[in-house]
Amino acid sequence: MAEVEGRPGGTGSAPASASAGGPGFVRYLGVRSGVAVNMTQMCGIGPFITIPLVVTAMGGPQAVVGWVAGAVLALADGLIWAELGAAMPGAGGTYIYLREAFQYRTGRLMPFLFVWTAVLFIPLIGLVDYVGFLWPHMSYLDIHLLSIVVVVVVVIGLYRRIESVALITTVLWIIMLVTIVLVIAAGLSRFSVSLAFHYPAGAFSIKHGFFIGLGAALVLAIYDYLGYNTTAYMGDELRNPGRVMPRSIIYSILAMMVLYLALNISVVGAVPWHVVAKSSSVASLVVQRSWGQPVADGITVLVVLTAFASVFTGLLGGSRVPVHAAEDGVFFRSFARLHPRYRFPTVSLLVLGAITMIGSFFTLSEVINMLTAVIIIVQAVAQVVALTVLRRRQPDLIRPYRQWLYPVPSLVALAGWVYVYHSAGRTAIILSGIWLAAGMAAYLIWARVVRTWPFGPKLVREAYLEQQKQQLAAAGPPIQPE
């Protein structure tokens, strides 16, 4: 049941980040807006171009197994985000979780490495395969000039108060849902059971490389599921984070799982899988065969808007990532600056938008593969460890949501991320090691300058536990019955 949205409030959360001389973020987003943000970021243009790639990787309609595996990994990982985010809501999400969990042993190293990677990963990953997908005959310059226009429009759309951003996001979310449902309906209108469930010989044979194909498919599928954590980056803007955070994450994963499975099955049930594997636009292909070219052209416009929506929500969440790091002095302090009236991070939004525009002029596939591999280490795997460490180190921390069947989802997520990392390829793994080494070198330089671990004492501050104690002290002793 969705929560009614409103102005600042909420319970069990840390103080919102504040800029000098002004209040912090505005707590406005409820469950409905949170789900809209997550689902819009998850979808984008991804499934419309990765379905052929997943079908190719798996070698037939059994590609649905790749989508199921992606859903299992996303849900297991989402339960980790849900517990951490509900207990420690704040701008930046992962930065806070790693800061609180790893400060006992390695100071600020892990949160530094996360921010070091995320400020590039988040804006670039939102642009993957966006420009040029629907305009293959445009020149190189035209494509990239168009990408700049798109990013400028996105930044203008985000350069406003969170109440207006929530409304825009909800509209884009509805467009995304309509797009997927129409493509599914087009596929079902000419659905053939023999096409959807006729598997090639040896489709599930280990000897024929089933697990190799599954690894490649899982990398693609999990890319399409990423985004369920966007509200975790916006913890300071959730009205009641202890309630909104876990619900927005879990609801969005379950909803997209249903949509992705229905989309995949309807596509391979309407068009032979070997034709799907060669398609560059399955949405237009399926709709054109079912309802004709004019309707397919209309669907193409909706796909463009869905892709735009993903970039919009990607920069929305990504612009919040460096805020707490900047306040802690781990990142450029200007990134903590909030708009004096609208209360959003101005410098962070503009810089990440600029990175997105610059990235559009380069062939980024290898860079993105490398950053994806690094994020698996410094975010996905690190958060599995963080959840366990915090349960042991801070057992009294109020946790509005606790992971179901702990530690089973954590172990499933850990195994899945290790599998995805291994499947990323040798080049990505080698480059990720180089990037991490560079990040560690940068950290050592910074640590030397500010005289923190390993060149100074580890500053351990259990921020959320301290805040809870202050709240209890302010509330006073309980009233005793007469």
Side-chain angles (χ1 to χ4, degrees), residues 119-471:
V119 291
L120 287 180
F121 174 81
I122 291 174
L124 294 186
I125 203 70
L127 200 65
V128 176
D129 295 316
Y130 170 60
V131 184
F133 168 61
L134 295 168
W135 299 277
H137 302 299
M138 294 178 67
S139 68
Y140 172 88
L141 183 60
D142 289 340
I143 288 173
H144 295 291
L145 287 177
L146 177 60
S147 73
I148 291 177
V149 172
V150 168
V151 176
V152 169
V153 172
V154 167
V155 171
I156 292 174
L158 292 172
Y159 207 89
R160 62 196 67 244
R161 65 179 74 250
I162 190 63
E163 296 92 333
S164 300
V165 171
L167 177 61
I168 296 172
T169 302
T170 300
V171 172
L172 294 173
W173 175 50
I174 293 172
I175 292 173
M176 181 272 291
L177 290 175
V178 169
T179 304
I180 293 185
V181 169
L182 287 176
V183 177
I184 292 172
L188 293 178
S189 67
R190 52 178 292 137
F191 187 79
S192 169
V193 174
S194 61
L195 286 179
F197 302 104
H198 180 70
Y199 305 120
F204 300 98
S205 171
I206 296 177
K207 293 181 179 179
H208 287 79
F210 171 77
F211 283 108
I212 295 176
L214 179 60
L218 181 57
V219 172
L220 295 165
I222 197 60
Y223 162 72
D224 288 332
Y225 279 104
L226 290 178
Y228 51 83
N229 54 353
T230 305
T231 48
Y233 294 145
M234 305 175 66
D236 280 331
E237 293 164 282
L238 303 185
R239 183 170 179 267
N240 184 346
R243 171 184 170 84
V244 173
M245 186 81 72
R247 283 167 172 76
S248 67
I249 292 171
I250 295 170
Y251 291 173
S252 60
I253 293 173
L254 294 176
M256 292 309 302
M257 175 184 69
V258 172
L259 290 174
Y260 282 162
L261 291 178
L263 183 62
N264 180 83
I265 293 173
S266 65
V267 166
V268 297
V271 180
W273 71 266
H274 60 274
V275 177
V276 172
K278 297 177 181 178
S279 173
S280 61
S281 175
V282 292
S284 298
L285 173 66
V286 172
V287 175
Q288 191 275 331
R289 289 196 175 198
S290 299
W291 299 335
Q293 190 59 49
V295 181
D297 292 339
I299 292 294
T300 298
V301 174
L302 293 179
V303 171
V304 172
L305 293 175
T306 300
F308 172 87
S310 182
V311 178
F312 183 89
T313 51
L315 279 179
L316 170 62
S319 63
R320 274 64 176 171
V321 168
V323 172
H324 274 292
E327 290 178 342
D328 290 342
V330 177
F331 203 65
F332 300 107
R333 292 192 181 275
S334 60
F335 278 68
R337 187 180 305 156
L338 302 186
H339 192 282
R341 180 180 178 186
Y342 299 142
R343 316 314 303 163
F344 66 89
T346 52
V347 174
S348 183
L349 174 62
L350 294 174
V351 172
L352 266 68
I355 292 173
T356 306
M357 285 189 286
I358 293 171
S360 70
F361 283 91
F362 299 92
T363 302
L364 295 167
S365 58
E366 290 295 342
V367 174
I368 290 171
N369 289 339
M370 176 269 290
L371 292 174
T372 301
V374 176
I375 281 291
I376 290 174
I377 297 173
V378 301
Q379 183 176 62
V381 173
Q383 287 189 174
V384 175
V385 177
L387 187 146
T388 303
V389 168
L390 287 168
R391 282 204 172 196
R392 293 178 179 177
R393 291 277 193 171
Q394 300 185 22
D396 296 330
L397 181 67
I398 295 175
R399 293 172 170 83
Y401 168 84
R402 295 178 72 90
Q403 186 187 90
W404 299 332
L405 302 176
Y406 174 84
V408 175
S410 291
L411 296 175
V412 171
L414 179 62
W417 287 120
V418 170
Y419 186 40
V420 171
Y421 183 79
H422 179 267
S423 302
R426 185 183 217 179
T427 301
I429 292 174
I430 292 174
L431 290 176
S432 69
I434 296 173
W435 179 262
L436 283 174
M440 290 180 183
Y443 171 80
L444 291 175
I445 295 172
W446 172 79
R448 181 72 176 178
V449 172
V450 300
R451 298 181 181 276
T452 189
W453 183 90
F455 302 104
K458 289 193 291 283
L459 301 177
V460 176
R461 176 174 177 254
E462 297 172 333
Y464 287 81
L465 276 177
E466 290 179 9
Q467 186 221 4
Q468 289 172 14
K469 292 177 182 178
Q470 292 171 2
Q471 289 176 340

Side-chain angles (χ1 to χ4, degrees), residues 66-114:
W67 293 102
V68 172
V72 170
L73 176 54
L75 185 58
D77 189 59
L79 296 181
I80 296 171
W81 282 92
E83 176 169 327
L84 294 172
M88 298 176 293
T94 297
Y95 172 81
I96 295 173
Y97 317 149
L98 301 189
R99 182 193 68 190
E100 295 296 303
F102 288 91
Q103 61 182 329
Y104 305 100
R105 296 282 186 180
T106 57
R108 297 292 172 87
L109 173 61
M110 287 304 297
F112 181 94
L113 290 177
F114 166 71

